[in-house]
Amino acid sequence: MNITFKPLQKDHLPLLFKWLEKPHVQIWWDPGVDLTPELLQEKYGSYPDGYYVEDGIQKPLRAFIVEIDHQPVAYTQLYNIRNYPGAHNVPEVQLHTNCSGLDIFIGDEAYVGKGYGTEILKVFLSKHVAPSHDACFVDPDKKNLQAIRAYYKAGFRILQEARETVWMMWVRVLIHLLMIKT
């Protein structure tokens, strides 16, 4: 299995729109939002240029279409955790000066529930997170047990349960220590 990450391009936006309309994605990714092509362009239109806009401020973001054996199957994005509104509530995040935030979903339902999420995460962490970040934060919905399991299998550990989410952290040093023991 060959997992690759293609930087999000403008011509990927129709595929992203198609995936974001799928029920298995909508339940966790912007639930309750009635997505239109205009709203997609407003929210994701700057992502191929490496940023998103919040309160009129451009903030860096790296977005990717994930391919397995040259087949587009998922979307992931990596950003500075300091730009995440709830990060100041996570004490462990403050310990890592070089911490990223990560979001991911599998868009192609043929790849859901078969372990691909864990494999995608492992490769992404090694190729795109570990070289430049000491830690990575995720906050899946408490009810999204499939995502929590995938994050856990990829090396994330639960920090704390928040009201509706589970705060999880991947730490590069911890992963290397775990690899040495196994």
Side-chain angles (χ1 to χ4, degrees):
M1 172 173 41
N2 183 30
I3 299 173
T4 55
F5 303 89
K6 304 284 183 182
L8 186 70
Q9 302 295 315
K10 298 266 185 208
D11 61 351
H12 289 135
L13 293 179
L15 175 62
L16 191 60
F17 183 78
K18 176 183 165 187
W19 286 344
L20 288 167
E21 287 190 305
K22 303 251 179 193
H24 76 278
V25 174
Q26 279 185 343
I27 191 170
W28 308 119
W29 196 279
D30 292 333
V33 173
D34 187 21
L35 191 64
T36 64
E38 295 78 23
L39 185 57
L40 178 94
Q41 182 60 40
E42 181 182 320
K43 181 173 181 178
Y44 296 95
S46 63
Y47 287 23
D49 298 322
Y51 69 91
Y52 66 104
V53 178
E54 184 177 64
D55 299 327
I57 300 170
Q58 289 184 4
K59 298 182 178 186
L61 172 122
R62 294 172 53 207
F64 302 89
I65 294 295
V66 182
E67 293 185 352
I68 296 179
D69 298 329
H70 306 288
Q71 173 69 33
V73 300
Y75 169 81
T76 189
Q77 59 190 31
L78 188 66
Y79 52 91
N80 182 335
I81 192 61
R82 302 288 183 265
N83 292 332
Y84 176 74
H88 65 277
N89 294 325
V90 185
E92 289 82 354
V93 170
Q94 303 307 321
L95 298 176
H96 300 281
T97 57
N98 197 5
C99 183
S100 62
L102 167 71
D103 298 309
I104 184 172
F105 67 78
I106 296 178
D108 186 331
E109 53 270 274
Y111 290 81
V112 173
K114 298 179 180 168
Y116 290 106
T118 299
E119 295 308 312
I120 290 168
L121 284 164
K122 286 178 180 179
V123 175
F124 190 77
L125 288 165
S126 70
K127 289 186 176 186
H128 294 281
V129 178
S132 56
H133 298 91
D134 297 325
C136 187
F137 175 80
V138 295
D139 62 341
D141 188 289
K142 271 185 181 179
K143 295 179 224 140
N144 193 346
L145 300 179
Q146 196 168 355
I148 293 168
R149 278 191 302 272
Y151 285 125
Y152 191 83
K153 289 178 182 178
F156 285 83
R157 295 299 176 254
I158 294 174
L159 298 174
Q160 176 178 337
E161 289 193 25
R163 186 173 199 183
E164 295 177 3
T165 62
V166 176
W167 293 342
M168 301 180 78
M169 181 77 74
W170 172 90
V171 180
R172 183 176 43 184
V173 174
L174 175 61
I175 297 309
H176 289 302
L177 290 174
L178 289 173
M179 290 177 152
I180 292 170
K181 288 184 176 183
T182 58

